[in-house]
Amino acid sequence: MVGGGRDAFIGAVHRKAMALDGQIELVAGALSSSPEKARASGRDLGLADERNHRDWQSMLADELKRPPEERIDFVSIVTPNHVHFPVAEAFAEAGFHVVCDKPLVHTRAQAEALVATVKRQGTVFGVTYNYTGYPMVRQAREMVRSGQLGELRKVVVEYNQGWLASHVEGSGSNKQADWRTDPARSGAAGAIGDIGSHAENLVASVTGLEIESLCADLSALVPGRMLDDDGSLLLRFNGGARGVLIASQINTGLENDLRLRVSGALGTLEWRQERPSELLHLPHDGPKRILTRGSPWLCESAQRASRLPAGHPEGFIEAFANIYGGVVADIRARLAGIAADPLAADYPRVEDGARGVRFIERTVASSASEAKWTAW
Ligand SMILES: NC(=O)c1ccc[n+]([C@@H]2O[C@H](COP(=O)([O-])OP(=O)(O)OC[C@H]3O[C@@H](n4cnc5c(N)ncnc54)[C@H](O)[C@@H]3O)[C@@H](O)[C@H]2O)c1
């Protein structure tokens, strides 16, 4: 693991998700930007001294010195965004499989370079767009794919949070806010990169629709903020469907309010991250129904993504673990020299991460432009 040291947010979630199915063992790390904190964090987690590194460069060098059968199988990158590219590129170039958090990298050129490296090396590369790991999101995807909604017409996705509703950055009390509002570390976008990228991925994963053009309005509503904290977009998809995407971190009182509504000629689906075990199906010509996680009438992909019987709550960490499960299935298939079972190796790839980077870039361009409608 690179990143995820003491006081970090998502690295600890990754480790819990990795541990859930007993398939992954954390054996090496460079866990913090400060060498001392990196080593202290590794000791907390019981890493062997010789594999508890002060920086990722020494970890990579050390792994390459080991005989292939002793090396790590993959690296997880859970640092702030600006560190993703150099680490991902170096490990992929050295032939390691990679899991990287979103947004993948800062620029389209970096994204293209990374896609090319992964392709050349033939390695596995997963991006932790974890919301697509929820069973009921997979059920929604299957219902769209099998035509139960008919031709898609309208998609509304909202990702609302309130934790950046005041100027918390720079106070010394919230390092997650510090780097997310700093263009050098976050990238060209704030909220649209941090959570809008999840919204884009959720839409793409569930509907399969491709954005043809978009019209964006990004603002920094908290005075003195350097990057957007609120964004509203209109989307036009290939084939004619229309969409609305909202990503905002200044919605006071809202927590992690990601929600998706997809309407086709035959009906509508609605899903909310804060009630992840329910999928609302509203057929045009029939009674409304609530589908629930763990039920035997769900599609195989949704059933496989569930660990407990219906009514026993599962959530964020389980969905995250499903992304890791997909990566592990793909790595195991490669080690065995067989084709991966597509239902098992179900996880967002480097190309999905690269599309997310393009989405951020086109959104920022549209918001800055007077013409507004911006081609993909
Ligand atoms: N998938 C999700 O739901 C989700 C949720 C939160 C964050 N994220 C993403 O995860 C990443 C981390 O976010 P966070 O909120 O955990 O950040 P954080 O600030 O809490 O933690 C970042 C960690 O990376 C370490 N780090 C920084 N530079 C490093 C370097 N050069 N080498 C090694 N370690 C280094 C820091 O010391 C810290 O331990 C970001 O890319 C963010 O967008 C994803």
Side-chain angles (χ1 to χ4, degrees), residues 2-5 7-10 30-33 56 78-81 83-84 101-103 128 130 175-176 179-180 194 198 316 320:
V2 178
D7 310 322
F9 168 36
I10 210 67
L31 300 178
S32 177
S33 56
W56 64 267
V78 291
T79 63
N81 307 344
V83 185
H84 293 178
D101 220 309
K102 43 48 62 180
T128 40
N130 45 297
K175 67 179 188 146
Q176 283 77 24
W179 71 254
R180 279 175 172 80
D194 197 36
H198 275 301
F316 192 79
F320 230 106

PDB file of all heavy atoms in Angstrom, residues 2-5 7-10 30-33 56 78-81 83-84 101-103 128 130 175-176 179-180 194 198 316 320, ligand 1:
ATOM      1  N   VAL A   2       0.470   2.234  -0.784  1.00  0.00           N
ATOM      2  CA  VAL A   2       1.137   3.535  -0.763  1.00  0.00           C
ATOM      3  C   VAL A   2       0.105   4.559  -0.309  1.00  0.00           C
ATOM      4  O   VAL A   2      -0.950   4.710  -0.943  1.00  0.00           O
ATOM      5  CB  VAL A   2       1.704   3.910  -2.151  1.00  0.00           C
ATOM      6  CG1 VAL A   2       2.347   5.297  -2.105  1.00  0.00           C
ATOM      7  CG2 VAL A   2       2.725   2.872  -2.604  1.00  0.00           C
ATOM      8  N   GLY A   3       0.399   5.270   0.793  1.00  0.00           N
ATOM      9  CA  GLY A   3      -0.573   6.165   1.429  1.00  0.00           C
ATOM     10  C   GLY A   3      -1.352   5.397   2.490  1.00  0.00           C
ATOM     11  O   GLY A   3      -1.073   4.214   2.744  1.00  0.00           O
ATOM     12  N   GLY A   4      -2.299   6.099   3.122  1.00  0.00           N
ATOM     13  CA  GLY A   4      -3.134   5.400   4.106  1.00  0.00           C
ATOM     14  C   GLY A   4      -2.490   5.261   5.474  1.00  0.00           C
ATOM     15  O   GLY A   4      -2.784   4.321   6.218  1.00  0.00           O
ATOM     16  N   GLY A   5      -1.616   6.210   5.821  1.00  0.00           N
ATOM     17  CA  GLY A   5      -0.967   6.163   7.127  1.00  0.00           C
ATOM     18  C   GLY A   5      -1.878   6.653   8.249  1.00  0.00           C
ATOM     19  O   GLY A   5      -3.085   6.833   8.061  1.00  0.00           O
ATOM     20  N   ASP A   7      -4.057   8.706  10.586  1.00  0.00           N
ATOM     21  CA  ASP A   7      -4.961   9.848  10.346  1.00  0.00           C
ATOM     22  C   ASP A   7      -5.476   9.946   8.917  1.00  0.00           C
ATOM     23  O   ASP A   7      -6.170  10.906   8.583  1.00  0.00           O
ATOM     24  CB  ASP A   7      -4.301  11.202  10.685  1.00  0.00           C
ATOM     25  CG  ASP A   7      -3.658  11.199  12.054  1.00  0.00           C
ATOM     26  OD1 ASP A   7      -4.260  10.583  12.949  1.00  0.00           O
ATOM     27  OD2 ASP A   7      -2.565  11.776  12.205  1.00  0.00           O
ATOM     28  N   ALA A   8      -5.116   9.043   8.058  1.00  0.00           N
ATOM     29  CA  ALA A   8      -5.647   9.104   6.687  1.00  0.00           C
ATOM     30  C   ALA A   8      -7.051   8.508   6.683  1.00  0.00           C
ATOM     31  O   ALA A   8      -7.404   7.700   7.533  1.00  0.00           O
ATOM     32  CB  ALA A   8      -4.744   8.331   5.743  1.00  0.00           C
ATOM     33  N   PHE A   9      -7.842   8.906   5.700  1.00  0.00           N
ATOM     34  CA  PHE A   9      -9.226   8.440   5.639  1.00  0.00           C
ATOM     35  C   PHE A   9      -9.355   7.096   4.901  1.00  0.00           C
ATOM     36  O   PHE A   9      -9.602   6.056   5.498  1.00  0.00           O
ATOM     37  CB  PHE A   9     -10.096   9.524   4.982  1.00  0.00           C
ATOM     38  CG  PHE A   9     -11.487   9.083   4.598  1.00  0.00           C
ATOM     39  CD1 PHE A   9     -12.201   8.188   5.385  1.00  0.00           C
ATOM     40  CD2 PHE A   9     -12.095   9.575   3.446  1.00  0.00           C
ATOM     41  CE1 PHE A   9     -13.487   7.778   5.032  1.00  0.00           C
ATOM     42  CE2 PHE A   9     -13.375   9.168   3.091  1.00  0.00           C
ATOM     43  CZ  PHE A   9     -14.068   8.265   3.867  1.00  0.00           C
ATOM     44  N   ILE A  10      -9.144   7.112   3.588  1.00  0.00           N
ATOM     45  CA  ILE A  10      -9.640   5.977   2.802  1.00  0.00           C
ATOM     46  C   ILE A  10      -8.719   4.756   2.856  1.00  0.00           C
ATOM     47  O   ILE A  10      -9.172   3.632   2.623  1.00  0.00           O
ATOM     48  CB  ILE A  10      -9.947   6.398   1.343  1.00  0.00           C
ATOM     49  CG1 ILE A  10     -11.088   5.554   0.764  1.00  0.00           C
ATOM     50  CG2 ILE A  10      -8.707   6.316   0.465  1.00  0.00           C
ATOM     51  CD1 ILE A  10     -12.431   5.772   1.394  1.00  0.00           C
ATOM     52  N   ALA A  30       4.409   1.928   2.047  1.00  0.00           N
ATOM     53  CA  ALA A  30       5.049   3.243   2.208  1.00  0.00           C
ATOM     54  C   ALA A  30       3.853   4.140   2.479  1.00  0.00           C
ATOM     55  O   ALA A  30       3.203   4.628   1.574  1.00  0.00           O
ATOM     56  CB  ALA A  30       5.785   3.648   0.946  1.00  0.00           C
ATOM     57  N   LEU A  31       3.519   4.274   3.771  1.00  0.00           N
ATOM     58  CA  LEU A  31       2.155   4.648   4.133  1.00  0.00           C
ATOM     59  C   LEU A  31       1.913   6.146   4.321  1.00  0.00           C
ATOM     60  O   LEU A  31       0.770   6.543   4.553  1.00  0.00           O
ATOM     61  CB  LEU A  31       1.741   3.890   5.409  1.00  0.00           C
ATOM     62  CG  LEU A  31       1.774   2.349   5.284  1.00  0.00           C
ATOM     63  CD1 LEU A  31       1.404   1.708   6.616  1.00  0.00           C
ATOM     64  CD2 LEU A  31       0.831   1.858   4.201  1.00  0.00           C
ATOM     65  N   SER A  32       2.962   6.957   4.254  1.00  0.00           N
ATOM     66  CA  SER A  32       2.739   8.381   4.507  1.00  0.00           C
ATOM     67  C   SER A  32       3.742   9.223   3.724  1.00  0.00           C
ATOM     68  O   SER A  32       4.781   8.731   3.281  1.00  0.00           O
ATOM     69  CB  SER A  32       2.876   8.658   6.012  1.00  0.00           C
ATOM     70  OG  SER A  32       2.732  10.038   6.273  1.00  0.00           O
ATOM     71  N   SER A  33       3.415  10.516   3.586  1.00  0.00           N
ATOM     72  CA  SER A  33       4.351  11.422   2.897  1.00  0.00           C
ATOM     73  C   SER A  33       5.567  11.726   3.771  1.00  0.00           C
ATOM     74  O   SER A  33       6.618  12.104   3.265  1.00  0.00           O
ATOM     75  CB  SER A  33       3.629  12.728   2.533  1.00  0.00           C
ATOM     76  OG  SER A  33       3.070  13.292   3.690  1.00  0.00           O
ATOM     77  N   TRP A  56       7.736   5.417  -1.401  1.00  0.00           N
ATOM     78  CA  TRP A  56       7.311   4.382  -2.358  1.00  0.00           C
ATOM     79  C   TRP A  56       8.438   3.956  -3.288  1.00  0.00           C
ATOM     80  O   TRP A  56       8.466   2.820  -3.766  1.00  0.00           O
ATOM     81  CB  TRP A  56       6.078   4.828  -3.141  1.00  0.00           C
ATOM     82  CG  TRP A  56       6.265   6.019  -4.032  1.00  0.00           C
ATOM     83  CD1 TRP A  56       6.027   7.320  -3.717  1.00  0.00           C
ATOM     84  CD2 TRP A  56       6.717   6.017  -5.394  1.00  0.00           C
ATOM     85  NE1 TRP A  56       6.306   8.129  -4.782  1.00  0.00           N
ATOM     86  CE2 TRP A  56       6.726   7.353  -5.836  1.00  0.00           C
ATOM     87  CE3 TRP A  56       7.106   5.016  -6.296  1.00  0.00           C
ATOM     88  CZ2 TRP A  56       7.111   7.734  -7.128  1.00  0.00           C
ATOM     89  CZ3 TRP A  56       7.483   5.386  -7.572  1.00  0.00           C
ATOM     90  CH2 TRP A  56       7.492   6.719  -7.983  1.00  0.00           C
ATOM     91  N   VAL A  78      -3.422   4.932  -2.302  1.00  0.00           N
ATOM     92  CA  VAL A  78      -4.484   5.618  -1.555  1.00  0.00           C
ATOM     93  C   VAL A  78      -3.985   6.966  -1.037  1.00  0.00           C
ATOM     94  O   VAL A  78      -4.297   7.380   0.075  1.00  0.00           O
ATOM     95  CB  VAL A  78      -5.013   4.714  -0.409  1.00  0.00           C
ATOM     96  CG1 VAL A  78      -5.778   3.539  -0.986  1.00  0.00           C
ATOM     97  CG2 VAL A  78      -3.879   4.193   0.469  1.00  0.00           C
ATOM     98  N   THR A  79      -3.196   7.613  -1.859  1.00  0.00           N
ATOM     99  CA  THR A  79      -2.638   8.936  -1.546  1.00  0.00           C
ATOM    100  C   THR A  79      -3.547  10.025  -2.111  1.00  0.00           C
ATOM    101  O   THR A  79      -4.424   9.730  -2.920  1.00  0.00           O
ATOM    102  CB  THR A  79      -1.282   9.098  -2.248  1.00  0.00           C
ATOM    103  OG1 THR A  79      -1.545   9.047  -3.669  1.00  0.00           O
ATOM    104  CG2 THR A  79      -0.309   7.998  -1.879  1.00  0.00           C
ATOM    105  N   PRO A  80      -3.289  11.297  -1.766  1.00  0.00           N
ATOM    106  CA  PRO A  80      -3.964  12.378  -2.493  1.00  0.00           C
ATOM    107  C   PRO A  80      -3.688  12.268  -4.000  1.00  0.00           C
ATOM    108  O   PRO A  80      -2.695  11.657  -4.427  1.00  0.00           O
ATOM    109  CB  PRO A  80      -3.341  13.642  -1.894  1.00  0.00           C
ATOM    110  CG  PRO A  80      -2.941  13.222  -0.500  1.00  0.00           C
ATOM    111  CD  PRO A  80      -2.480  11.804  -0.647  1.00  0.00           C
ATOM    112  N   ASN A  81      -4.534  12.918  -4.781  1.00  0.00           N
ATOM    113  CA  ASN A  81      -4.566  12.701  -6.227  1.00  0.00           C
ATOM    114  C   ASN A  81      -3.230  12.924  -6.939  1.00  0.00           C
ATOM    115  O   ASN A  81      -2.903  12.205  -7.880  1.00  0.00           O
ATOM    116  CB  ASN A  81      -5.613  13.625  -6.866  1.00  0.00           C
ATOM    117  CG  ASN A  81      -6.969  13.489  -6.214  1.00  0.00           C
ATOM    118  OD1 ASN A  81      -7.209  12.524  -5.500  1.00  0.00           O
ATOM    119  ND2 ASN A  81      -7.864  14.443  -6.446  1.00  0.00           N
ATOM    120  N   VAL A  83      -0.308  12.281  -6.289  1.00  0.00           N
ATOM    121  CA  VAL A  83       0.695  11.222  -6.170  1.00  0.00           C
ATOM    122  C   VAL A  83       0.298   9.989  -7.003  1.00  0.00           C
ATOM    123  O   VAL A  83       1.120   9.109  -7.264  1.00  0.00           O
ATOM    124  CB  VAL A  83       0.916  10.859  -4.679  1.00  0.00           C
ATOM    125  CG1 VAL A  83       2.035   9.842  -4.504  1.00  0.00           C
ATOM    126  CG2 VAL A  83       1.229  12.108  -3.849  1.00  0.00           C
ATOM    127  N   HIS A  84      -0.964   9.919  -7.447  1.00  0.00           N
ATOM    128  CA  HIS A  84      -1.418   8.709  -8.149  1.00  0.00           C
ATOM    129  C   HIS A  84      -0.555   8.395  -9.373  1.00  0.00           C
ATOM    130  O   HIS A  84      -0.123   7.248  -9.556  1.00  0.00           O
ATOM    131  CB  HIS A  84      -2.871   8.856  -8.630  1.00  0.00           C
ATOM    132  CG  HIS A  84      -3.883   8.938  -7.533  1.00  0.00           C
ATOM    133  ND1 HIS A  84      -5.233   9.103  -7.781  1.00  0.00           N
ATOM    134  CD2 HIS A  84      -3.772   8.892  -6.176  1.00  0.00           C
ATOM    135  CE1 HIS A  84      -5.898   9.149  -6.641  1.00  0.00           C
ATOM    136  NE2 HIS A  84      -5.033   9.031  -5.648  1.00  0.00           N
ATOM    137  N   ASP A 101      -7.013   4.688  -6.258  1.00  0.00           N
ATOM    138  CA  ASP A 101      -8.261   5.398  -5.986  1.00  0.00           C
ATOM    139  C   ASP A 101      -8.494   6.479  -7.041  1.00  0.00           C
ATOM    140  O   ASP A 101      -7.648   6.765  -7.879  1.00  0.00           O
ATOM    141  CB  ASP A 101      -8.287   5.937  -4.537  1.00  0.00           C
ATOM    142  CG  ASP A 101      -9.684   5.749  -3.933  1.00  0.00           C
ATOM    143  OD1 ASP A 101     -10.661   6.175  -4.593  1.00  0.00           O
ATOM    144  OD2 ASP A 101      -9.814   5.178  -2.846  1.00  0.00           O
ATOM    145  N   LYS A 102      -9.672   7.067  -7.015  1.00  0.00           N
ATOM    146  CA  LYS A 102     -10.070   8.073  -7.996  1.00  0.00           C
ATOM    147  C   LYS A 102      -9.809   9.462  -7.460  1.00  0.00           C
ATOM    148  O   LYS A 102      -9.611   9.572  -6.252  1.00  0.00           O
ATOM    149  CB  LYS A 102     -11.544   7.946  -8.367  1.00  0.00           C
ATOM    150  CG  LYS A 102     -12.528   7.699  -7.241  1.00  0.00           C
ATOM    151  CD  LYS A 102     -12.498   8.502  -5.990  1.00  0.00           C
ATOM    152  CE  LYS A 102     -12.738   9.974  -6.094  1.00  0.00           C
ATOM    153  NZ  LYS A 102     -12.680  10.658  -4.779  1.00  0.00           N
ATOM    154  N   PRO A 103      -9.854  10.530  -8.234  1.00  0.00           N
ATOM    155  CA  PRO A 103      -9.782  10.505  -9.694  1.00  0.00           C
ATOM    156  C   PRO A 103      -8.406   9.993 -10.102  1.00  0.00           C
ATOM    157  O   PRO A 103      -7.412  10.251  -9.422  1.00  0.00           O
ATOM    158  CB  PRO A 103      -9.981  11.969 -10.080  1.00  0.00           C
ATOM    159  CG  PRO A 103      -9.619  12.758  -8.863  1.00  0.00           C
ATOM    160  CD  PRO A 103      -9.915  11.897  -7.688  1.00  0.00           C
ATOM    161  N   THR A 128     -10.873   2.289  -7.731  1.00  0.00           N
ATOM    162  CA  THR A 128     -11.883   2.061  -6.687  1.00  0.00           C
ATOM    163  C   THR A 128     -13.027   3.074  -6.754  1.00  0.00           C
ATOM    164  O   THR A 128     -13.221   3.893  -5.864  1.00  0.00           O
ATOM    165  CB  THR A 128     -11.242   2.018  -5.280  1.00  0.00           C
ATOM    166  OG1 THR A 128     -10.228   3.016  -5.199  1.00  0.00           O
ATOM    167  CG2 THR A 128     -10.661   0.661  -5.016  1.00  0.00           C
ATOM    168  N   ASN A 130     -15.970   2.711  -5.848  1.00  0.00           N
ATOM    169  CA  ASN A 130     -16.550   1.675  -5.003  1.00  0.00           C
ATOM    170  C   ASN A 130     -18.065   1.573  -5.066  1.00  0.00           C
ATOM    171  O   ASN A 130     -18.639   0.547  -4.755  1.00  0.00           O
ATOM    172  CB  ASN A 130     -16.120   1.895  -3.547  1.00  0.00           C
ATOM    173  CG  ASN A 130     -16.241   3.341  -3.128  1.00  0.00           C
ATOM    174  OD1 ASN A 130     -15.563   4.193  -3.683  1.00  0.00           O
ATOM    175  ND2 ASN A 130     -17.100   3.632  -2.173  1.00  0.00           N
ATOM    176  N   LYS A 175      -7.028  17.813   7.202  1.00  0.00           N
ATOM    177  CA  LYS A 175      -6.079  17.676   6.094  1.00  0.00           C
ATOM    178  C   LYS A 175      -6.750  17.160   4.833  1.00  0.00           C
ATOM    179  O   LYS A 175      -6.287  17.408   3.726  1.00  0.00           O
ATOM    180  CB  LYS A 175      -4.879  16.822   6.489  1.00  0.00           C
ATOM    181  CG  LYS A 175      -5.175  15.381   6.743  1.00  0.00           C
ATOM    182  CD  LYS A 175      -3.879  14.670   7.087  1.00  0.00           C
ATOM    183  CE  LYS A 175      -4.114  13.182   7.167  1.00  0.00           C
ATOM    184  NZ  LYS A 175      -3.001  12.394   6.723  1.00  0.00           N
ATOM    185  N   GLN A 176      -7.875  16.445   4.988  1.00  0.00           N
ATOM    186  CA  GLN A 176      -8.602  15.986   3.798  1.00  0.00           C
ATOM    187  C   GLN A 176      -9.127  17.191   3.015  1.00  0.00           C
ATOM    188  O   GLN A 176      -9.115  17.209   1.790  1.00  0.00           O
ATOM    189  CB  GLN A 176      -9.757  15.065   4.198  1.00  0.00           C
ATOM    190  CG  GLN A 176      -9.339  13.639   4.575  1.00  0.00           C
ATOM    191  CD  GLN A 176      -8.732  13.520   5.961  1.00  0.00           C
ATOM    192  OE1 GLN A 176      -8.976  14.347   6.830  1.00  0.00           O
ATOM    193  NE2 GLN A 176      -7.938  12.486   6.177  1.00  0.00           N
ATOM    194  N   TRP A 179      -5.962  19.324   1.098  1.00  0.00           N
ATOM    195  CA  TRP A 179      -5.445  18.964  -0.245  1.00  0.00           C
ATOM    196  C   TRP A 179      -6.555  18.969  -1.293  1.00  0.00           C
ATOM    197  O   TRP A 179      -6.294  19.253  -2.462  1.00  0.00           O
ATOM    198  CB  TRP A 179      -4.650  17.656  -0.216  1.00  0.00           C
ATOM    199  CG  TRP A 179      -5.400  16.363  -0.004  1.00  0.00           C
ATOM    200  CD1 TRP A 179      -5.428  15.609   1.136  1.00  0.00           C
ATOM    201  CD2 TRP A 179      -6.197  15.649  -0.968  1.00  0.00           C
ATOM    202  NE1 TRP A 179      -6.204  14.485   0.950  1.00  0.00           N
ATOM    203  CE2 TRP A 179      -6.682  14.486  -0.339  1.00  0.00           C
ATOM    204  CE3 TRP A 179      -6.545  15.877  -2.294  1.00  0.00           C
ATOM    205  CZ2 TRP A 179      -7.499  13.562  -0.983  1.00  0.00           C
ATOM    206  CZ3 TRP A 179      -7.367  14.961  -2.950  1.00  0.00           C
ATOM    207  CH2 TRP A 179      -7.835  13.820  -2.287  1.00  0.00           C
ATOM    208  N   ARG A 180      -7.804  18.693  -0.880  1.00  0.00           N
ATOM    209  CA  ARG A 180      -8.883  18.676  -1.878  1.00  0.00           C
ATOM    210  C   ARG A 180      -9.181  20.064  -2.449  1.00  0.00           C
ATOM    211  O   ARG A 180      -9.772  20.182  -3.520  1.00  0.00           O
ATOM    212  CB  ARG A 180     -10.159  18.083  -1.261  1.00  0.00           C
ATOM    213  CG  ARG A 180     -10.156  16.562  -1.233  1.00  0.00           C
ATOM    214  CD  ARG A 180     -11.392  16.052  -0.497  1.00  0.00           C
ATOM    215  NE  ARG A 180     -11.560  14.604  -0.593  1.00  0.00           N
ATOM    216  CZ  ARG A 180     -10.903  13.712   0.139  1.00  0.00           C
ATOM    217  NH1 ARG A 180      -9.985  14.105   0.999  1.00  0.00           N
ATOM    218  NH2 ARG A 180     -11.151  12.414   0.001  1.00  0.00           N
ATOM    219  N   ASP A 194     -13.625  15.246  -7.071  1.00  0.00           N
ATOM    220  CA  ASP A 194     -13.673  14.412  -5.865  1.00  0.00           C
ATOM    221  C   ASP A 194     -14.898  13.502  -5.850  1.00  0.00           C
ATOM    222  O   ASP A 194     -14.789  12.298  -5.619  1.00  0.00           O
ATOM    223  CB  ASP A 194     -13.675  15.324  -4.631  1.00  0.00           C
ATOM    224  CG  ASP A 194     -13.313  14.567  -3.363  1.00  0.00           C
ATOM    225  OD1 ASP A 194     -12.468  13.652  -3.445  1.00  0.00           O
ATOM    226  OD2 ASP A 194     -13.872  14.883  -2.299  1.00  0.00           O
ATOM    227  N   HIS A 198     -17.242  10.094  -9.194  1.00  0.00           N
ATOM    228  CA  HIS A 198     -18.037   8.917  -8.798  1.00  0.00           C
ATOM    229  C   HIS A 198     -19.390   8.928  -9.519  1.00  0.00           C
ATOM    230  O   HIS A 198     -19.883   7.894  -9.957  1.00  0.00           O
ATOM    231  CB  HIS A 198     -18.313   8.939  -7.292  1.00  0.00           C
ATOM    232  CG  HIS A 198     -17.229   8.365  -6.439  1.00  0.00           C
ATOM    233  ND1 HIS A 198     -16.781   7.072  -6.568  1.00  0.00           N
ATOM    234  CD2 HIS A 198     -16.512   8.896  -5.416  1.00  0.00           C
ATOM    235  CE1 HIS A 198     -15.842   6.833  -5.656  1.00  0.00           C
ATOM    236  NE2 HIS A 198     -15.658   7.931  -4.949  1.00  0.00           N
ATOM    237  N   PHE A 316     -20.946   0.166   2.902  1.00  0.00           N
ATOM    238  CA  PHE A 316     -19.832   0.783   2.192  1.00  0.00           C
ATOM    239  C   PHE A 316     -18.627  -0.156   2.082  1.00  0.00           C
ATOM    240  O   PHE A 316     -18.046  -0.321   1.002  1.00  0.00           O
ATOM    241  CB  PHE A 316     -19.452   2.052   2.968  1.00  0.00           C
ATOM    242  CG  PHE A 316     -18.511   2.975   2.261  1.00  0.00           C
ATOM    243  CD1 PHE A 316     -18.972   3.836   1.273  1.00  0.00           C
ATOM    244  CD2 PHE A 316     -17.167   3.013   2.596  1.00  0.00           C
ATOM    245  CE1 PHE A 316     -18.111   4.709   0.628  1.00  0.00           C
ATOM    246  CE2 PHE A 316     -16.303   3.885   1.954  1.00  0.00           C
ATOM    247  CZ  PHE A 316     -16.770   4.730   0.972  1.00  0.00           C
ATOM    248  N   PHE A 320     -16.960  -1.855  -1.266  1.00  0.00           N
ATOM    249  CA  PHE A 320     -15.540  -1.659  -1.555  1.00  0.00           C
ATOM    250  C   PHE A 320     -14.851  -3.019  -1.739  1.00  0.00           C
ATOM    251  O   PHE A 320     -14.026  -3.212  -2.643  1.00  0.00           O
ATOM    252  CB  PHE A 320     -14.899  -0.927  -0.366  1.00  0.00           C
ATOM    253  CG  PHE A 320     -14.082   0.256  -0.761  1.00  0.00           C
ATOM    254  CD1 PHE A 320     -14.544   1.548  -0.539  1.00  0.00           C
ATOM    255  CD2 PHE A 320     -12.839   0.093  -1.342  1.00  0.00           C
ATOM    256  CE1 PHE A 320     -13.779   2.652  -0.892  1.00  0.00           C
ATOM    257  CE2 PHE A 320     -12.071   1.188  -1.699  1.00  0.00           C
ATOM    258  CZ  PHE A 320     -12.533   2.476  -1.475  1.00  0.00           C
TER     259      PHE A 320
HETATM  260  N1  LIG B   1     -13.347   5.787  -3.302  1.00  0.00           N
HETATM  261  C1  LIG B   1     -13.758   6.592  -2.351  1.00  0.00           C
HETATM  262  O1  LIG B   1     -14.893   6.526  -1.912  1.00  0.00           O
HETATM  263  C2  LIG B   1     -12.812   7.598  -1.791  1.00  0.00           C
HETATM  264  C3  LIG B   1     -13.112   8.235  -0.578  1.00  0.00           C
HETATM  265  C4  LIG B   1     -12.173   9.141  -0.057  1.00  0.00           C
HETATM  266  C5  LIG B   1     -11.013   9.401  -0.739  1.00  0.00           C
HETATM  267  N2  LIG B   1     -10.776   8.799  -1.948  1.00  0.00           N
HETATM  268  C6  LIG B   1      -9.537   9.057  -2.692  1.00  0.00           C
HETATM  269  O2  LIG B   1      -8.486   8.436  -1.966  1.00  0.00           O
HETATM  270  C7  LIG B   1      -7.313   9.215  -2.011  1.00  0.00           C
HETATM  271  C8  LIG B   1      -6.884   9.575  -0.575  1.00  0.00           C
HETATM  272  O3  LIG B   1      -7.877  10.356   0.044  1.00  0.00           O
HETATM  273  P1  LIG B   1      -7.965  10.479   1.650  1.00  0.00           P
HETATM  274  O4  LIG B   1      -9.191  11.242   1.947  1.00  0.00           O
HETATM  275  O5  LIG B   1      -7.770   9.156   2.285  1.00  0.00           O
HETATM  276  O6  LIG B   1      -6.674  11.400   1.919  1.00  0.00           O
HETATM  277  P2  LIG B   1      -5.893  11.560   3.313  1.00  0.00           P
HETATM  278  O7  LIG B   1      -5.284  12.907   3.258  1.00  0.00           O
HETATM  279  O8  LIG B   1      -6.774  11.206   4.459  1.00  0.00           O
HETATM  280  O9  LIG B   1      -4.767  10.444   3.245  1.00  0.00           O
HETATM  281  C9  LIG B   1      -3.727  10.452   2.284  1.00  0.00           C
HETATM  282  C10 LIG B   1      -2.563   9.614   2.775  1.00  0.00           C
HETATM  283  O10 LIG B   1      -1.594   9.561   1.731  1.00  0.00           O
HETATM  284  C11 LIG B   1      -0.306   9.835   2.320  1.00  0.00           C
HETATM  285  N3  LIG B   1       0.627  10.336   1.309  1.00  0.00           N
HETATM  286  C12 LIG B   1       0.680  11.568   0.724  1.00  0.00           C
HETATM  287  N4  LIG B   1       1.709  11.635  -0.143  1.00  0.00           N
HETATM  288  C13 LIG B   1       2.326  10.423  -0.080  1.00  0.00           C
HETATM  289  C14 LIG B   1       3.473   9.878  -0.724  1.00  0.00           C
HETATM  290  N5  LIG B   1       4.197  10.578  -1.599  1.00  0.00           N
HETATM  291  N6  LIG B   1       3.826   8.603  -0.424  1.00  0.00           N
HETATM  292  C15 LIG B   1       3.136   7.869   0.472  1.00  0.00           C
HETATM  293  N7  LIG B   1       2.029   8.337   1.104  1.00  0.00           N
HETATM  294  C16 LIG B   1       1.640   9.595   0.828  1.00  0.00           C
HETATM  295  C17 LIG B   1      -0.617  10.823   3.426  1.00  0.00           C
HETATM  296  O11 LIG B   1       0.462  10.933   4.336  1.00  0.00           O
HETATM  297  C18 LIG B   1      -1.865  10.160   4.013  1.00  0.00           C
HETATM  298  O12 LIG B   1      -1.499   9.093   4.852  1.00  0.00           O
HETATM  299  C19 LIG B   1      -7.656  10.424  -2.876  1.00  0.00           C
HETATM  300  O13 LIG B   1      -7.254  10.192  -4.193  1.00  0.00           O
HETATM  301  C20 LIG B   1      -9.171  10.520  -2.789  1.00  0.00           C
HETATM  302  O14 LIG B   1      -9.759  11.113  -3.936  1.00  0.00           O
HETATM  303  C21 LIG B   1     -11.657   7.903  -2.457  1.00  0.00           C
END
